[in-house]
């Protein structure tokens, strides 16, 4: 998988060099173009190349999902700051983890903490529960389902 990614990046740099435009948009276009070229060239269905070509769209989808959730949370916190009435309903949520490895748990915890209004307090000793401080809690069960079907599910689809 790393081999395909490095080949993709190398072809992107060749594209940038041939076009003579050293802009990020041009590099991104070269990356997308080389991605499709490599996908057409590797029709042998090798497991590593198939895994790479399945994972890249998931990563891009996750990035857009994270940016959307980040902007939504920023507007919610900013609205609460500029209005005279506070809408906060803080709570601590016990979130059961599907993630098993330390890397998965650490990445999930950092992504949740990056969104405003949430903060990771602790991970249980058996690494099966994450304790999250939430600024705007309306329903704990819906918040847990929201995290399980959103961040955790999408992140584990990339990592596994």
């Amino acid at each position: 998988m790393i081999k395909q990614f490095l080949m993709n990046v190398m072809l992107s740099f060749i594209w940038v060099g041939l076009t003579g435009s050293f802009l990020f948009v041009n590099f991104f276009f070269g990356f997308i173009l080389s991605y499709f070229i490599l996908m057409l060239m590797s029709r042998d269905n090798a497991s590593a190349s198939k895994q790479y070509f399945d994972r890249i769209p998931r990563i891009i989808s996750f990035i857009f999902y994270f940016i959307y959730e980040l902007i939504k949370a920023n507007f919610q916190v900013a609205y609460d700051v500029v209005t005279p009435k506070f809408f906060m309903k803080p709570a601590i949520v016990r979130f059961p983890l599907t993630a098993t490895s330390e890397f998965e748990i650490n990445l999930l915890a950092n992504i949740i903490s990056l969104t405003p209004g949430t903060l990771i307090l602790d991970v249980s000793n058996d690494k099966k529960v994450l304790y999250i401080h939430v600024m705007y809690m309306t329903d704990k069960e819906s918040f847990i389902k929201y995290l399980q079907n959103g961040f955790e599910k999408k992140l584990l689809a990339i990592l596994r």
Side-chain angles (χ1 to χ4, degrees), residues 47-61:
S47 63
S49 64
K50 183 172 177 2
Q51 187 180 23
Y52 173 72
F53 295 118
D54 288 343
R55 194 172 282 182
I56 292 294
R58 289 182 191 152
I59 291 171
I60 293 170
S61 170

Side-chain angles (χ1 to χ4, degrees), residues 101-116:
S101 73
E102 288 188 17
F103 180 73
E104 292 172 345
I105 294 169
N106 191 14
L107 196 56
L108 178 65
N110 284 317
I111 287 171
I112 291 172
S113 286
L114 281 174
T115 55

Side-chain angles (χ1 to χ4, degrees), residues 122-129 131:
D122 195 16
V123 179
S124 66
N125 291 335
D126 60 356
K127 294 182 180 27
K128 294 187 182 203
V129 175
Y131 295 97

Side-chain angles (χ1 to χ4, degrees), residues 4 7-16 18 28-44 49 52-53 56:
Q4 286 88 4
M7 183 69 95
N8 202 351
V9 170
M10 188 179 353
L11 287 172
S12 302
F13 280 120
I14 290 171
W15 172 261
V16 167
L18 288 174
F28 184 71
F29 179 74
F31 188 85
I32 298 297
L33 185 65
S34 63
Y35 173 80
F36 286 115
I37 290 171
L38 288 173
M39 187 168 51
L40 289 174
M41 288 175 55
S42 67
R43 292 185 188 174
D44 60 353
S49 64
Y52 173 72
F53 295 118
I56 292 294

Side-chain angles (χ1 to χ4, degrees), residues 62-63 65-67 69-70 73 103-120 130 132 146-147 150-152 154-156 158-159:
F62 181 77
I63 290 170
Y65 176 76
F66 176 71
I67 290 171
E69 293 296 328
L70 185 69
F103 180 73
E104 292 172 345
I105 294 169
N106 191 14
L107 196 56
L108 178 65
N110 284 317
I111 287 171
I112 291 172
S113 286
L114 281 174
T115 55
T118 56
L119 179 68
I120 302 301
L130 203 62
I132 307 170
Y146 160 76
L147 284 182
F151 287 126
E152 188 175 35
K154 291 179 185 296
L155 186 65
L156 293 180
I158 293 170
L159 297 176

